Amino acid sequence: MQSNEAPISMEVEAVPSEPSSASAALPPKPIFEPLKAHEMSDGRVQFRKVSVPPHRYSPLKKVWLDIYTPVYEQMKIDIRMNLKGRKVELKTRADTPDVSNLQKCSDFVQAFMLGFDVIDAIALLRMDELYVESFEIKDVKTLRGEHLSRAIGRLSGKGGKTKFAIENATKTRIVIADTKIHILGSFANIKVARDSLCSLILGSPAGKVYSKLRAVTARLAERF
């Protein structure tokens, strides 16, 4: 027996949702000004000291004003030379705009002590993504006597030709100080330069390193 009654449809009346009074009553989000360097350390002055090696003492005296001017006037960091302790001392001031300026200036002075020119090291103050990486030849391969001398000669090339070619291709700066090598540049560029230098230390001929360097730098240029 079939039922003749029509199915009853259930209609639900949509009630418009009202904005919650709790969210409307929240106070506006506070806006704080960035803290200055002396405020972050409860008013205490922050210091950095950079030792001056004996062989960099005379070059430091010649270019002292070139180091002093950007550190004191642009970065707002006090700098002085402690003649007795043979150290360059840096400290924050009340008007230092950013707490990171102290570390940037310390890295800048340290880069000069490692052997970089002031005109190259000053890039550490202007750009955030620059670093200095150091390693020794013995970290790559244990060499002694004439083998070590030949490896250093391969790194420099005739008249510094090989070193300049790597610097220009990778947009880095390289200092070869006896058996220590210092590279200044961005993270990716330092890696390319370090790989080329390691290949030379391990005995690869300069021509093979050049061709590999050209291929890698071409890939880097396409990526960026």
Side-chain angles (χ1 to χ4, degrees):
M1 183 176 177
Q2 293 181 352
S3 164
N4 296 328
E5 294 179 2
I8 301 170
S9 62
M10 297 181 65
E11 293 183 1
V12 179
E13 186 177 351
V15 179
S17 60
E18 298 179 357
S20 61
S21 58
S23 61
L26 286 175
K29 191 175 180 181
I31 299 173
F32 298 108
E33 292 186 359
L35 292 175
K36 293 188 176 178
H38 71 284
E39 294 173 336
M40 291 184 74
S41 56
D42 297 328
R44 292 193 303 272
V45 175
Q46 298 189 43
F47 284 93
R48 292 285 188 282
K49 292 182 181 180
V50 181
S51 298
V52 182
H55 69 284
R56 296 300 286 171
Y57 196 66
S58 295
L60 179 63
K61 284 200 286 189
K62 289 179 184 175
V63 297
W64 175 251
L65 273 181
D66 295 334
I67 293 174
Y68 176 87
T69 305
V71 170
Y72 184 80
E73 294 184 359
Q74 296 170 20
M75 306 300 284
K76 309 291 186 191
I77 297 288
D78 281 340
I79 178 171
R80 73 174 183 181
M81 177 68 197
N82 186 339
L83 295 174
K84 190 175 180 181
R86 292 230 168 176
K87 294 178 186 293
V88 176
E89 298 178 348
L90 304 152
K91 71 170 186 175
T92 55
R93 291 165 22 193
D95 60 340
T96 303
D98 192 356
V99 72
S100 65
N101 285 7
L102 181 64
Q103 188 59 45
K104 282 183 182 177
C105 293
S106 176
D107 292 341
F108 164 55
V109 176
Q110 183 65 41
F112 176 79
M113 299 307 170
L114 291 176
F116 293 100
D117 293 333
V118 173
I119 196 167
D120 296 327
I122 205 169
L124 288 164
L125 300 180
R126 310 272 165 79
M127 302 173 72
D128 290 332
E129 63 273 6
L130 290 185
Y131 307 93
V132 176
E133 183 170 323
S134 303
F135 65 96
E136 293 191 48
I137 291 177
K138 68 179 181 182
D139 297 336
V140 182
K141 189 178 183 183
T142 305
L143 298 169
R144 294 185 183 88
E146 290 186 2
H147 297 289
L148 180 61
S149 303
R150 280 196 291 271
I152 296 171
R154 279 198 303 274
L155 293 175
S156 296
K158 186 178 179 181
K161 175 183 164 187
T162 305
K163 182 173 81 81
F164 293 144
I166 295 173
E167 285 180 341
N168 293 333
T170 59
K171 297 178 184 173
T172 57
R173 288 292 175 266
I174 300 169
V175 169
I176 302 171
D178 195 17
T179 62
K180 290 182 179 162
I181 300 164
H182 312 289
I183 310 173
L184 167 66
S186 65
F187 183 79
N189 292 343
I190 285 176
K191 184 179 182 302
V192 175
R194 189 182 63 231
D195 290 346
S196 301
L197 293 171
C198 289
S199 299
L200 289 168
I201 293 170
L202 292 171
S204 296
K208 190 174 181 182
V209 173
Y210 289 158
S211 59
K212 186 179 177 183
L213 193 60
R214 276 195 292 269
V216 172
T217 50
R219 281 205 304 271
L220 275 177
E222 288 174 4
R223 188 183 304 172
F224 296 110

